[in-house]
Amino acid sequence: MQALLKNDVFDGNDGCQYRVVKTSSPNTGWVINLSRAHSWPVERDFGVLRSHSRVATQSTACAKLPDFAFYSEKARNRANAAYEVIKPLILNADGSENDDILDERKRNRLVLARADELDISKTTIYGYLHKWWSQGQSKYVLIPGSARNGQNQTSGTSGRGRMPGDGRYSVFQMGAEDIKRAKEFLEKRYIKKEHASLKGVHIDLIAKHYSFRDGNGDLVKRPEGEHPSIHQLRHVLKTLFTPEDVKRGKKGDKNFDRENKPMTGSSLEEAVAPGHIYELDATIFDTFLVAEANRHHIIGKPTLYLIYDRKTRLIVGFYLGLENASWTGAMLAILSLAEDKRALCEKYGHPYDPAHWPADGVFPAKFLGDRGEMASRNSDRICDGMEATISNTQSLLPITKGVVEAGFHAAHCAIKDMAPGYEPPMEAVKRRAKKYHLDAALTLEECTSLILGQIIKHNTTAMENYPLSPAQVLAGWNAIPTQLWKQELELNGCAGANYTYDYLHLQLLPRTTDDPKSKKAKVTQQGIEFENCIYKSVDDDPTVRQWMVNAGMGKSPEVHCSYDLRLVDNIIVHDSKGRTFPCTLAKDSGRFSGYSFAEVEYIIVKERRAKKLLEDKTNQAEMSRRQRAQAITTRAIAATKQAATSAARSARKADTAAERDAEKSRLRRLQTSMPPTNSESKRVGNVIALHSSDHVEGCAHQQPKIPVEDAAERPRSTIDDLLRRKAQEKTNELTHL
């Protein structure tokens, strides 16, 4: 049970409310009953009084009322005079509390002595003491009641208001019920609705509560003076609601916080050193691009990722690509932290200087995102592999990561004057605006080069409005990100860690997990099956080969794999022992080479849908085949029955060999033919004459001879080449084994 302190208010078991005047021990003390008008302090056991009731600390009068200093000088002087009257009674000479005044047997004697000393009435002193103990033992409670009149009073018209000039009606006096109705209407129909007007709410209020129906059933409002005016409704709005309440209710909390919330504090307060917090975010870069292969084709706007070090404002990583904002883009931006900066600058035509990249390879202690890519399941790879922390700000509140948001603005401003195809954001939704996309001329690589130039310029030039401390200014520091990183590193150290590009790449790739919702990899006899594709080991690893053998015997091992969402050609398989095996597409899945996983899934869905659409036609063909087959079998059974003899059924196999030879001889006579001579071929064209059985009966097993000259001139077909390659591959495999 919570311990009670002086001035705490609590509910007793007897239904009364008590205030603690003084504590004698953790379980006992002096209390005064607030539920009875003329009660005085008594010493009671707290446990007996309150049992398991909760302390109502918010009911303390001093916690609700304004500060003592805000009252008039006259009111404060009267409160000080009242305090001086009771001060010798409640305090000893050394400043400690006087317990005798709490004892009712000694209280009357002390009060009478003080009344005689000051020549005032003892009733006045008792009144001061009762206020002191019951209302919170503060000078404020001794202020005369007239000084506090109206401060906590329910607002109403109370006879106020401008009378009409022509005296047509009296001012309507709003009571507590009228104010309650007006407040409910304002809350539900004005504050919570963005486009509601006060005039409309006033009309609705009158129609609901200040109208009647006439004999025809029509709704008629009461005359002026019998309902609140719009000015009175506006007075209730201003009295009971603050401008923030109205604006927040109409716009919503998130929009209000983004646009109207007071800006306090600084982003530098949380960052303690370089590499501590990296802010990461993505935006649509407002420039239309063209295809590299054919500049006539427009490919739309790219997505720009930026990574800023919060402490020094240094841009430590970036990525510009055609992917939508997703984990793939965020992964590539994070990979740029450890990317070879020399190769990067050479690729995009910028001079390389190591001083421009002081944070090369430094991974932060904390990533700050905005509930987008950094809130996905794949972002767990950062926490598991690099032991970093991921923090996400409130959605729709860009001010919480203002460093990177300002970086986007700077990047747009740097190229908007020179980049063809740049579309100002305000023009994107403007009617009949200029068609900026028709001016597009930059490829993705050229636009990346422009962004890289802006990053180098930002990192090496002084920033405006960066809050250097007086000590830094006196030490000669400049607000240049590269210099700030170096100097802060020497002063406070670095909170980040170094990782290689290959390690980062492997750790950041999406990976299958044991999560039921995660994608699965499965070992089969044909290879590693993953996302409708079959993979085989790049080096024909014996371990993977043995997995496939075991899978054929029903003993498939459990494996996971890392994959790149952009390309299905390769994956990396992980076993339970932590080993990795690079795998590539098998020949069975070679048709998907060059596609992304999303594209493969789309192709499979389209393929299945096409088969589904042809299912009726296939079923119809199968039904027709079965009908024809049934007719054939029916005729065969009938003919067999007709040819039956009186011999036993088992005797049908007695002469099988002889009958088989006779059937073969009959078929040879029907199927065998000889090629025509050259003269006959020229005479009849491509028609081959059939010879009678008398001429070929003895040589039906011989193959017709083709002249050597004709055989040499016959062109080789594609099927011949394919068969020759297959035979050579079989020979090579036997030789290898």
Side-chain angles (χ1 to χ4, degrees):
M1 186 180 295
Q2 182 180 350
L4 291 174
L5 303 177
K6 179 181 177 180
N7 284 338
D8 277 347
V9 177
F10 64 91
D11 297 321
N13 292 334
D14 55 359
C16 297
Q17 195 176 57
Y18 294 88
R19 182 188 294 276
V20 178
V21 176
K22 182 182 179 182
T23 57
S24 304
S25 68
N27 298 320
T28 60
W30 294 85
V31 297
I32 185 170
N33 192 330
L34 302 180
S35 302
R36 296 178 182 174
H38 303 289
S39 60
W40 294 97
V42 292
E43 191 172 17
R44 298 292 299 273
D45 187 311
F46 296 150
V48 173
L49 274 181
R50 67 173 179 146
S51 183
H52 298 290
S53 65
R54 297 178 61 186
V55 178
T57 55
Q58 294 301 321
S59 62
T60 305
C62 297
K64 294 181 178 180
L65 299 173
D67 188 83
F68 180 76
F70 284 93
Y71 287 93
S72 66
E73 183 178 0
K74 182 178 180 180
R76 286 186 280 114
N77 290 338
R78 292 184 62 180
N80 288 328
Y83 178 71
E84 292 299 328
V85 170
I86 63 174
K87 182 177 179 180
L89 299 177
I90 60 178
L91 297 177
N92 295 319
D94 59 356
S96 60
E97 294 185 359
N98 182 14
D99 294 341
D100 292 342
I101 194 66
L102 299 175
D103 190 347
E104 61 180 352
R105 294 170 297 181
K106 301 177 181 180
R107 185 186 305 125
N108 190 51
R109 176 175 53 82
L110 294 174
V111 170
L112 286 175
R114 184 61 175 166
D116 293 339
E117 179 184 352
L118 299 178
D119 194 20
I120 60 176
S121 170
K122 68 175 183 177
T123 304
T124 301
I125 299 178
Y126 273 122
Y128 291 157
L129 288 174
H130 190 270
K131 282 185 178 181
W132 178 264
W133 287 324
S134 64
Q135 297 185 24
Q137 304 184 64
S138 168
K139 283 185 180 182
Y140 169 80
V141 303
L142 299 176
I143 292 178
S146 59
R148 296 196 298 269
N149 285 345
Q151 291 186 11
N152 299 308
Q153 171 181 320
T154 303
S155 59
T157 56
S158 300
R160 299 186 297 271
R162 181 188 306 171
M163 297 296 293
D166 54 5
R168 289 181 293 110
Y169 59 89
S170 300
V171 176
F172 179 78
Q173 301 302 312
M174 295 184 69
E177 186 65 24
D178 299 308
I179 294 175
K180 181 180 178 182
R181 293 171 180 170
K183 181 180 178 182
E184 291 177 353
F185 263 69
L186 289 170
E187 284 181 340
K188 296 179 180 179
R189 305 196 182 193
Y190 182 72
I191 294 179
K192 293 185 178 181
K193 294 186 177 181
E194 182 178 1
H195 303 293
S197 66
L198 192 63
K199 183 176 181 179
V201 174
H202 179 244
I203 296 299
D204 292 342
L205 175 64
I206 295 175
K208 178 71 174 177
H209 297 291
Y210 302 96
S211 61
F212 60 91
R213 294 194 178 275
D214 60 10
N216 298 325
D218 297 331
L219 195 65
V220 180
K221 76 179 189 69
R222 295 179 183 176
E224 298 289 343
E226 296 185 16
H227 63 75
S229 67
I230 190 172
H231 304 290
Q232 290 173 316
L233 185 64
R234 186 177 293 110
H235 174 75
V236 173
L237 175 65
K238 293 181 178 180
T239 304
L240 301 182
F241 302 97
T242 65
E244 179 179 346
D245 294 334
V246 177
K247 184 71 73 172
R248 188 180 290 275
K250 285 185 172 293
K251 301 180 68 172
D253 290 337
K254 291 185 177 180
N255 291 332
F256 180 86
D257 291 341
R258 183 178 68 250
E259 300 174 8
N260 303 101
K261 185 179 180 180
M263 298 182 184
T264 58
S266 171
S267 60
L268 295 176
E269 295 177 357
E270 187 178 355
V272 298
H276 179 205
I277 300 176
Y278 281 1
E279 294 186 11
L280 181 149
D281 199 8
T283 188
I284 300 298
F285 199 64
D286 296 325
T287 303
F288 288 96
L289 303 182
V290 297
E292 183 77 28
N294 187 344
R295 289 179 179 267
H296 184 70
H297 294 161
I298 299 173
I299 59 176
K301 298 178 181 179
T303 301
L304 174 63
Y305 276 86
L306 289 179
I307 304 178
Y308 269 79
D309 175 63
R310 173 174 279 193
K311 184 68 175 178
T312 63
R313 306 293 196 270
L314 183 74
I315 301 179
V316 295
F318 81 104
Y319 172 69
L320 186 74
L322 300 179
E323 296 84 3
N324 294 329
S326 60
W327 172 248
T328 300
M331 177 189 71
L332 294 172
I334 297 172
L335 276 176
S336 69
L337 298 177
E339 187 176 2
D340 186 351
K341 301 303 188 296
R342 179 185 295 276
L344 178 69
C345 292
E346 291 176 354
K347 178 181 179 181
Y348 294 107
H350 291 276
Y352 171 72
D353 186 350
H356 296 168
W357 310 97
D360 188 16
V362 177
F363 199 81
K366 178 179 179 180
F367 269 109
L368 186 65
D370 62 350
R371 302 185 61 81
E373 306 84 353
M374 306 307 286
S376 67
R377 183 176 66 250
N378 291 320
S379 63
D380 294 344
R381 307 297 311 144
I382 295 177
C383 304
D384 296 339
M386 282 69 77
E387 305 303 326
T389 302
I390 296 177
S391 179
N392 287 282
T393 62
Q394 180 182 349
S395 60
L396 300 179
L397 197 61
I399 191 62
T400 53
K401 47 179 177 48
V403 176
V404 68
E405 295 290 348
F408 290 139
H409 177 71
H412 282 101
C413 291
I415 72 166
K416 66 180 181 180
D417 296 335
M418 63 184 68
Y422 174 80
E423 182 182 49
M426 69 286 298
E427 298 289 328
V429 294
K430 187 176 180 181
R431 295 182 63 186
R432 296 186 180 180
K434 177 183 176 182
K435 294 179 173 57
Y436 292 93
H437 60 277
L438 298 180
D439 298 330
L442 293 174
T443 64
L444 182 63
E445 287 197 1
E446 291 167 344
C447 190
T448 303
S449 181
L450 294 179
I451 297 298
L452 181 59
Q454 163 61 16
I455 291 174
I456 295 175
K457 180 259 180 185
H458 167 82
N459 287 347
T460 55
T461 56
M463 297 177 289
E464 296 182 3
N465 303 323
Y466 183 85
L468 288 172
S469 68
Q472 291 172 337
V473 174
L474 296 175
W477 286 28
N478 296 314
I480 300 175
T482 52
Q483 294 184 14
L484 288 175
W485 179 281
K486 181 180 178 181
Q487 292 162 340
E488 287 283 356
L489 201 65
E490 295 173 354
L491 183 65
N492 299 318
C494 182
N498 269 315
Y499 296 103
T500 64
Y501 181 88
D502 292 338
Y503 179 78
L504 279 180
H505 192 195
L506 182 61
Q507 287 299 125
L508 294 175
L509 284 175
R511 182 183 298 183
T512 60
T513 64
D514 296 325
D515 188 346
K517 297 182 180 180
S518 174
K519 299 177 179 180
K520 301 297 181 184
K522 180 181 179 182
V523 179
T524 66
Q525 194 172 359
Q526 290 74 31
I528 310 295
E529 183 179 335
F530 177 68
E531 287 297 289
N532 302 308
C533 295
I534 302 295
Y535 294 87
K536 66 176 182 179
S537 174
V538 173
D539 303 324
D540 197 17
D541 191 278
T543 302
V544 178
R545 188 180 184 86
Q546 188 60 45
W547 289 349
M548 296 166 62
V549 173
N550 293 342
M553 298 185 294
K555 300 178 180 179
S556 177
E558 180 181 355
V559 297
H560 296 289
C561 68
S562 299
Y563 55 96
D564 194 330
L565 290 169
R566 299 170 298 166
L567 193 65
V568 301
D569 288 20
N570 299 283
I571 63 172
I572 299 176
V573 177
H574 309 263
D575 66 357
S576 58
K577 298 180 181 179
R579 296 176 296 180
T580 59
F581 305 92
C583 296
T584 187
L585 278 177
K587 292 181 180 179
D588 292 343
S589 299
R591 60 180 179 139
F592 297 129
S593 179
Y595 288 90
S596 67
F597 281 97
E599 290 170 335
V600 170
E601 183 178 1
Y602 178 75
I603 292 171
I604 295 296
V605 170
K606 290 285 290 184
E607 190 175 25
R608 290 172 181 170
R609 186 174 299 171
K611 291 180 179 179
K612 192 68 175 176
L613 294 175
L614 295 175
E615 187 174 352
D616 288 342
K617 187 175 180 180
T618 303
N619 292 339
Q620 179 63 42
E622 175 66 13
M623 185 176 66
S624 300
R625 184 198 66 81
R626 292 178 65 87
Q627 289 177 353
R628 290 192 295 270
Q630 185 66 36
I632 293 172
T633 56
T634 301
R635 289 195 302 269
I637 293 173
T640 303
K641 289 183 177 180
Q642 187 177 0
T645 62
S646 58
R649 286 173 56 87
S650 59
R652 297 182 65 186
K653 294 183 63 177
D655 300 325
T656 299
E659 294 294 336
R660 184 181 182 89
D661 291 338
E663 186 67 18
K664 287 169 61 178
S665 178
R666 186 184 69 84
L667 291 175
R668 283 197 294 268
R669 288 193 298 270
L670 293 175
Q671 297 173 355
T672 305
S673 63
M674 293 296 292
T677 62
N678 291 338
S679 58
E680 292 176 344
S681 176
K682 292 178 181 180
R683 185 175 62 249
V684 299
N686 293 330
V687 179
I688 299 176
L690 293 177
H691 299 277
S692 64
S693 58
D694 297 338
H695 296 147
V696 296
E697 184 175 355
C699 56
H701 63 281
Q702 297 180 359
Q703 295 293 331
K705 294 184 179 180
I706 300 175
V708 177
E709 301 90 312
D710 296 342
E713 293 176 358
R714 182 172 61 88
R716 182 180 300 170
S717 65
T718 304
I719 191 64
D720 294 334
D721 295 336
L722 179 60
L723 292 174
R724 180 172 284 100
R725 285 198 302 270
K726 290 291 184 181
Q728 186 62 40
E729 289 177 0
K730 292 294 184 180
T731 303
N732 294 340
E733 290 180 1
L734 293 174
T735 304
H736 179 70
L737 293 175

